[in-house]
């Protein structure tokens, strides 16, 4: 789509001495192909899933799930059901990921099953809106928790939280551009930190239960909501906290032994997160009534103030760690989607280039970070969550449907993991419910705007991707070459 580019070249020969030195250096350290390297093992894969799933959601979403479900009992059931749904969806993605061992997640699977137009519309919506808005939401949550202790008794100024969120984006993008291993180490550290605070809350909740603090858990189903749409919105907010169960599919090409490590990481990570979420919610209700949960600006912080005093400061500190780790995981995966889409020609080619020295998709990571910055400027977290959830479940449903379709159209593909087709059908039905229920219950213009935006991608697809108009290539060619020189990136090679 962009025409010519500067490829990785070989150094010229400057005499026998330099040739001899070069030969010795090459013998000592073989030159890597300029492709994404297989640097992500099982532990890092588990940490990527857990670290991205456990972000701000469990500390923000509990009151929203309670609000729409109406009572403690259905609230806990919805948290458990969301865990089951995420597990079943991840198993479907495990089949897809071991059948089609390409990075890019849903994009690669939609391409194989439905062709380039559907895949392009997904990449258009995800790269331009879904991934950067998710990154923005998480960094804003990080900034709110990080600044709250400095503004006791009042809400932190919006300009302060947005500036801090921007700084977080810059740091995270920089780390991910420098090294895949460094980004993995950061992810592993912050995952350990968030599991520590989850463990502390759960243990405190168990102790309080054994002491008889069960009043808020009795008559747990009084006031249960019977609204079809309200239950859908409760699932929306619960599933927002679980989002990230599919992150490993975006980095399939960077996994060590994906056939083993992808399903194993899923089997370990998602049940672990599901149990943590249910137990954390039970812990909240041991010290707070439903009214107090709904009125609390930060449920986890209120819990810490009542249970961990005078060490209550550890809760907001570790929530900051948790949200920062989730933002790192979101950036890690979001950049890979832009990289794969650019490699396929559905985005500008520069996004598919790799750092010559660091073997990271730095242009795609930087592009994702820049878009996230623009979403921070007018950001409203609740509005972004609704917008994000509506669109993302459209594509989750289509991706799971692609598994069913390829059972009939691509029978020749090897399937190391094969889930019962009934599970895939259940996920498709649930996706339809999560998309349609809130729209039917409370139709709002934002859903229409979302649909219009997704299909507006066709206005760019036909001239620039399908026809590949020559004037666009003439414009992009010098821009691509200058960006290559500036960022020291080259087109990916094929590893021999």
């Amino acid at each position: 789509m962009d025409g010519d580019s500067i490829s990785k070249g070989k150094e010229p020969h400057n005499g026998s001495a330099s040739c001899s030195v070069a030969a010795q250096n090459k013998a000592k350290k073989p030159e890597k192909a300029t492709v994404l390297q297989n640097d992500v093992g099982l532990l890092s894969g588990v940490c990527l899933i857990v670290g991205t799933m456990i972000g701000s959601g469990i500390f923000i979403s509990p009151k929203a799930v309670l609000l729409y479900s109406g009572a403690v009992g259905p609230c806990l059931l919805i948290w458990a059901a969301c865990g089951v749904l995420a597990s079943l969806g991840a198993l479907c993605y495990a089949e897809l990921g071991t059948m089609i061992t390409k990075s890019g997640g849903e994009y690669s699977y939609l391409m194989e099953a439905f062709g380039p137009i559907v895949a392009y519309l997904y990449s258009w919506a995800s790269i331009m809106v879904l991934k950067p808005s998710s990154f923005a939401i998480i960094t804003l949550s990080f900034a709110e928790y990080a600044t709250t202790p400095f503004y006791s008794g009042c809400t932190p100024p919006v300009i302060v939280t947005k500036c801090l969120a921007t700084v977080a984006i810059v740091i995270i993008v920089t780390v991910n551009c420098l090294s895949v291993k460094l980004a993995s180490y950061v992810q592993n550290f912050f995952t350990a930190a968030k599991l520590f605070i989850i463990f502390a809350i759960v243990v405190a909740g168990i102790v309080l239960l054994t002491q008889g603090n069960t009043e808020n858990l009795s008559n747990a189903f009084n006031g249960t909501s019977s609204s079809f749409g309200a239950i859908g919105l409760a699932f929306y907010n619960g599933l927002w906290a679980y989002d990230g169960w599919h992150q490993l599919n975006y980095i399939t090409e960077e996994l060590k032994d994906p056939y083993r490590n992808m399903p194993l990481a899923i089997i370990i990570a998602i049940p672990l997160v599901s149990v943590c979420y249910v137990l954390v919610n039970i812990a909240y209700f041991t010290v707070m009534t439903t009214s107090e949960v709904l009125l609390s600006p930060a449920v986890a912080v209120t819990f810490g103030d009542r249970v961990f005093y005078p060490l209550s400061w550890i809760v907001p500190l570790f929530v900051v760690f948790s949200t920062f780790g989730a933002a790192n995981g979101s950036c890690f995966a979001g950049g890979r989607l832009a990289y794969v889409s650019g490699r396929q020609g559905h985005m500008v080619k520069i996004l598919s280039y790799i750092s010559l020295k660091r073997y990271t998709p730095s242009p795609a990571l930087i592009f994702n970070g820049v878009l996230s910055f623009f979403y921070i400027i007018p950001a409203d977290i609740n509005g972004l969550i609704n917008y994000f959830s509506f669109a993302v479940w459209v594509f989750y449903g289509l991706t799971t449907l692609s598994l069913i379709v390829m059972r009939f159209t691509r029978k020749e593909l090897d399937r190391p993991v094969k889930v019962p087709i009934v599970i895939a059908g259940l996920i498709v039905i649930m996706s339809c419910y999560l998309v349609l229920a809130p729209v039917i219950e409370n139709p709002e213009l934002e859903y229409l705007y979302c649909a219009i935006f997704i299909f507006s991608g066709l206005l760019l697809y036909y001239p620039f991707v399908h026809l590949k108009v020559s004037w666009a290539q003439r414009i992009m060619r010098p821009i691509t070459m200058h960006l290559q020189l500036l960022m020291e990136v080259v087109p990916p090679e094929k590893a021999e």
Side-chain angles (χ1 to χ4, degrees):
M1 190 175 175
D2 294 334
D4 298 334
S5 62
I6 303 171
S7 299
K8 182 181 179 182
K10 296 181 179 179
E11 293 294 331
H13 297 287
N14 292 318
S16 59
S18 61
C19 287
S20 176
V21 172
Q24 290 174 9
N25 290 338
K26 190 169 184 180
K28 291 178 183 177
K29 186 178 180 181
E31 185 180 0
K32 295 180 181 179
T34 314
V35 294
L36 298 181
Q37 306 297 310
N38 302 107
D39 289 333
V40 182
L42 176 60
L43 176 61
S44 294
V46 171
C47 288
L48 179 63
I49 297 174
V50 173
T52 310
M53 289 176 72
I54 303 178
S56 60
I58 189 59
F59 309 109
I60 293 176
S61 296
K63 59 182 180 181
V65 176
L66 177 62
L67 174 65
Y68 291 116
S69 61
V72 173
C75 174
L76 295 176
L77 287 177
I78 286 171
W79 278 105
C82 287
V84 173
L85 189 63
S87 299
L88 296 178
L91 288 175
C92 293
Y93 273 55
E95 176 176 332
L96 290 166
T98 53
M99 178 175 66
I100 302 166
T101 55
K102 298 178 182 177
S103 294
E106 291 91 346
Y107 175 81
S108 297
Y109 315 141
L110 293 172
M111 175 71 78
E112 292 287 341
F114 301 120
I117 293 180
V118 176
Y120 172 81
L121 289 178
Y122 169 75
S123 67
W124 161 254
S126 295
I127 293 170
M128 301 305 294
V129 177
L130 301 182
K131 295 300 179 186
S133 69
S134 175
F135 193 13
I137 290 168
I138 300 170
T139 52
L140 281 168
S141 299
F142 158 79
E144 287 183 0
Y145 274 101
T147 54
T148 296
F150 299 98
Y151 294 89
S152 180
C154 62
T155 304
V158 174
I159 187 66
V160 173
T161 58
K162 289 185 177 181
C163 286
L164 184 56
T166 302
V167 171
I169 286 175
V170 171
I171 293 172
I172 290 168
V173 170
T174 302
V175 166
N176 279 267
C177 287
L178 288 175
S179 168
V180 172
K181 286 186 177 180
L182 177 59
S184 295
Y185 293 151
V186 169
Q187 191 68 24
N188 296 353
F189 172 80
F190 284 104
T191 298
K194 67 185 66 182
L195 286 176
F196 172 81
I197 193 61
I198 290 286
F199 179 76
I201 292 173
V202 168
V203 169
I206 293 172
V207 171
L208 290 167
L209 281 174
T210 59
Q211 293 174 349
N213 292 277
T214 59
E215 182 180 349
N216 297 325
L217 297 170
S218 59
N219 300 318
F221 289 88
N222 288 348
T224 300
S225 173
S226 58
S227 169
F228 181 78
I231 296 298
L233 287 171
F235 268 99
Y236 257 20
N237 285 276
L239 287 166
W240 162 247
Y242 279 96
D243 196 65
W245 50 266
H246 62 305
Q247 295 293 78
L248 215 54
N249 293 74
Y250 287 98
I251 62 164
T252 305
E253 295 170 24
E254 295 168 80
L255 275 176
K256 298 174 183 175
D257 191 5
Y259 299 110
R260 170 185 177 272
N261 288 339
M262 177 176 283
L264 195 55
I266 288 169
I267 291 169
I268 294 170
I270 299 177
L272 172 64
V273 173
S274 302
V275 171
C276 287
Y277 278 3
V278 174
L279 292 178
V280 165
N281 276 276
I282 292 173
Y284 289 156
F285 289 118
T286 61
V287 295
M288 286 183 280
T289 65
T290 54
S291 298
E292 288 172 332
V293 170
L294 293 174
L295 292 173
S296 173
V299 180
V301 174
T302 303
F303 179 90
D305 289 339
R306 297 187 181 184
V307 177
F308 297 131
Y309 185 83
L311 299 177
S312 54
W313 54 267
I314 68 169
V315 174
L317 175 63
F318 277 89
V319 172
V320 168
F321 288 166
S322 179
T323 48
F324 189 88
N328 182 70
S330 176
C331 176
F332 195 96
R336 271 60 182 179
L337 175 59
Y339 162 78
V340 173
S341 185
R343 187 173 65 184
Q344 193 67 34
H346 284 177
M347 290 287 160
V348 290
K349 278 291 182 185
I350 189 66
L351 296 181
S352 70
Y353 290 1
I354 295 173
S355 171
L356 189 59
K357 297 178 180 178
R358 305 187 183 279
Y359 305 100
T360 59
S362 49
L365 291 164
I366 293 169
F367 182 71
N368 184 53
V370 169
L371 288 180
S372 300
F373 166 73
F374 286 110
Y375 281 102
I376 281 176
I377 297 172
D380 167 40
I381 288 182
N382 291 326
L384 281 174
I385 287 176
N386 290 335
Y387 187 87
F388 174 82
S389 299
F390 168 78
V392 83
W393 277 98
V394 171
F395 291 114
Y396 286 166
L398 279 174
T399 303
T400 311
L401 181 62
S402 74
L403 184 151
I404 299 173
V405 169
M406 284 191 283
R407 286 283 181 91
F408 300 97
T409 61
R410 303 297 301 275
K411 294 181 180 180
E412 76 282 2
L413 293 175
D414 184 36
R415 291 171 170 83
V417 176
K418 191 172 184 179
V419 301
I421 201 167
V422 175
I423 292 179
L426 177 65
I427 298 298
V428 172
I429 292 169
M430 193 64 187
S431 299
C432 293
Y433 168 71
L434 290 170
V435 170
L436 295 175
V439 177
I440 294 170
E441 178 75 12
N442 185 25
E444 295 181 0
L445 284 176
E446 66 180 4
Y447 300 126
L448 178 62
Y449 295 153
C450 181
I452 290 173
F453 178 83
I454 291 172
F455 287 104
S456 70
L458 294 173
L459 298 177
L460 296 175
Y461 177 84
Y462 185 71
F464 298 115
V465 178
H466 182 70
L467 293 181
K468 295 183 175 148
V469 291
S470 58
W471 60 265
Q473 295 186 46
R474 286 196 300 270
I475 292 173
M476 286 306 302
R477 187 175 295 118
I479 295 174
T480 300
M481 294 180 69
H482 281 89
L483 287 174
Q484 276 190 266
L485 292 169
L486 178 65
M487 293 188 284
E488 295 185 329
V489 294
V490 294
E493 297 177 358
K494 289 188 177 180
E496 296 179 4

